[in-house]
Amino acid sequence: REEVFKVYEEAKIRAENGEKFALAPEGGRNRDGNLLPFKSGPFIFAINSQMPLVPTVIQGAFDVMKKGSFVPNAEAWTKKIRVSFLDPIPVIGINLSQREKLQQQSFSVMSHYIEMNPL
């Protein structure tokens, strides 16, 4: 955990120089394609760097290559993967005491999008 926060602190300096970052709030791939509970690290990073969150939904990747696989499944060439960039969520003025609310808001936005836009 300490190493992760050290990386986030170093990344904050890079963000101040204009770099952008993609962080996975679930912490990895799941086994069924559904959203997993979000971890707090990416939200702490966004708050500390005051960078807006851009929720990004990737749908269909699970059907192409399941977690733990080394090669796509035989039907992968007929499957679709959709990447959707949702409206940014501003974090200017949000502090760490509001992290959980920001985390829940992001999860809700992404869950709602998935529900309303099945692949």
Side-chain angles (χ1 to χ4, degrees):
R1 183 178 178 135
E2 289 178 23
E3 282 297 313
V4 170
F5 288 118
K6 182 179 176 184
V7 169
Y8 284 166
E9 196 57 39
E10 293 169 3
K12 181 180 174 186
I13 295 166
R14 293 170 51 194
E16 290 168 356
N17 291 323
E19 288 188 51
K20 308 294 184 228
F21 297 87
L23 304 173
E26 295 174 279
R29 295 186 67 197
N30 59 42
R31 296 203 178 270
D32 63 6
N34 294 311
L35 279 180
L36 296 172
F38 287 176
K39 298 189 179 295
S40 61
F43 300 93
I44 293 169
F45 174 73
I47 292 167
N48 284 339
S49 66
Q50 291 291 280
M51 293 179 73
L53 293 172
V54 180
T56 304
V57 176
I58 302 171
Q59 294 170 285
F62 180 79
D63 293 328
V64 172
M65 191 163 163
K66 297 192 183 333
K67 181 176 180 171
S69 297
F70 294 105
V71 295
N73 68 46
E75 296 144 6
W77 311 114
T78 63
K79 303 290 183 181
K80 292 182 182 181
I81 295 177
R82 179 172 53 207
V83 180
S84 303
F85 299 95
L86 309 183
D87 291 335
I89 300 172
V91 298
I92 299 294
I94 292 178
N95 61 47
L96 289 176
S97 69
Q98 299 164 303
R99 189 250 333 136
E100 191 172 331
K101 181 179 177 185
L102 179 64
Q103 198 169 325
Q104 290 171 349
Q105 178 185 4
S106 299
F107 188 90
S108 177
V109 165
M110 292 173 73
S111 295
H112 180 72
Y113 179 86
I114 292 167
E115 182 181 319
M116 300 308 294
N117 299 281
L119 187 58

